[in-house]
Amino acid sequence: MRTPSLVVNLKTYRKGSKEKAVKLAKKCEKIANKTGKNIVLAVQNTDIFRLSKKVSLPIYAQHVDSERFGSNTGKDIPETLKYNGASGTLINHSEDQVTIEKIEKTVKRCRELSITSLVCVDSVEMAKKVDTFNPDFIAYEPPELIGGNISVSEAKPEVLKEVIEAVDTPVLTGAGVKTDKDVKKALEIGSKGVLVASGVVKADKQDEAVENLLKNL
Ligand code: G3P
């Protein structure tokens, strides 16, 4: 992932699903082309193929499993996600948590396949553990701020700073990021970008929301 970056997580929001996911992806692509700024889309795994064919932006999975080819059922293995167009993946989002062992395994599997790993953490302790696995990125997201209007850089600047100082891995900031000021603050503290969902996907004017977030990126 080129940084600084705006990572938009479409989650399973209605406005980030089906044909609306395509529309949003196209809006983001247009803005990225116009501004030259970096936008990454983390989409539902079932949308990876379609969206990677429709837009040139990096498409990330929202989840990947660590299994290999073989007798496994209901797993999204990294090989298949990559084949279908994912260049990276979220791991351990707070809405999709996995064990620490699983995080380590998954990061390793992503590295083998040159898939960018972006591991979400909710504390300094967790960030320190994950850092030893050498992921490409860590995203610090306090779960209680997700979906709200108070950004992590405003509510917990000291914890964000602590996370950034405690690890060698580049850190992204997420949860409650809604404005250009939130982004500015996150970058000033040392973030390499922001991970955003509701501020873009649920916005009445999604393109304006993206443009606004990119102002200080
Ligand atoms: O993955 C990003 C997400 O959890 C943050 O959500 O809605 O607070 O931007 P939101």
Side-chain angles (χ1 to χ4, degrees):
M1 189 199 309
R2 285 184 299 159
T3 56
S5 207
L6 170 68
V7 182
V8 182
N9 180 0
L10 276 59
K11 301 201 174 183
T12 60
Y13 284 127
R14 199 178 288 276
K15 288 177 79 175
S17 301
K18 304 197 294 183
E19 70 287 349
K20 292 194 172 111
V22 178
K23 273 194 191 152
L24 174 54
K26 287 203 174 281
K27 283 179 198 169
C28 289
E29 181 184 45
K30 201 168 161 194
I31 296 168
N33 288 341
K34 190 173 78 180
T35 60
K37 302 210 174 169
N38 304 316
I39 305 179
V40 172
L41 302 174
V43 309
Q44 291 168 42
N45 287 5
T46 42
D47 283 334
I48 289 170
F49 181 74
R50 187 194 346 268
L51 292 177
S52 66
K53 294 286 171 212
K54 300 251 184 207
V55 296
S56 56
L57 299 177
I59 301 292
Y60 283 17
Q62 291 179 2
H63 168 86
V64 65
D65 292 296
S66 57
E67 279 73 8
R68 296 178 180 272
F69 290 119
S71 183
N72 309 292
T73 301
K75 300 294 178 190
D76 289 333
I77 63 170
E79 283 83 353
T80 313
L81 291 183
K82 185 170 181 178
Y83 178 73
N84 279 287
S87 57
T89 184
L90 305 184
I91 297 170
N92 192 51
H93 191 279
S94 66
E95 293 160 353
D96 182 38
Q97 286 183 306
V98 293
T99 62
I100 193 78
E101 293 77 22
K102 196 95 181 175
I103 296 175
E104 183 171 17
K105 255 193 203 167
T106 311
V107 167
K108 200 167 161 216
R109 294 278 285 115
C110 287
R111 196 175 316 116
E112 280 169 17
L113 290 157
S114 304
I115 293 174
T116 303
S117 52
L118 169 45
V119 183
C120 300
V121 302
D122 59 6
S123 66
V124 181
E125 295 66 42
M126 182 76 176
K128 283 185 187 166
K129 272 188 208 154
V130 168
D131 189 47
T132 64
F133 308 153
N134 295 317
D136 293 297
F137 294 93
I138 286 175
Y140 172 59
E141 289 204 328
E144 69 279 10
L145 298 176
I146 291 178
N149 286 323
I150 299 172
S151 84
V152 48
S153 45
E154 193 186 320
K156 298 196 164 192
E158 67 299 329
V159 189
L160 174 59
K161 191 161 182 273
E162 225 186 301
V163 168
I164 291 169
E165 286 173 356
V167 300
D168 293 324
T169 308
V171 174
L172 269 66
T173 304
V177 177
K178 294 278 188 305
T179 67
D180 54 325
K181 286 194 192 75
D182 297 335
V183 177
K184 190 166 184 247
K185 189 98 193 273
L187 265 61
E188 277 169 4
I189 297 172
S191 299
K192 298 293 179 200
V194 289
L195 177 55
V196 176
S198 54
V200 168
V201 187
K202 291 175 79 181
D204 290 334
K205 296 190 175 160
Q206 292 172 324
D207 27 20
E208 282 181 19
V210 172
E211 279 174 356
N212 186 40
L213 288 167
L214 287 176
K215 261 191 221 160
N216 293 321
L217 199 82

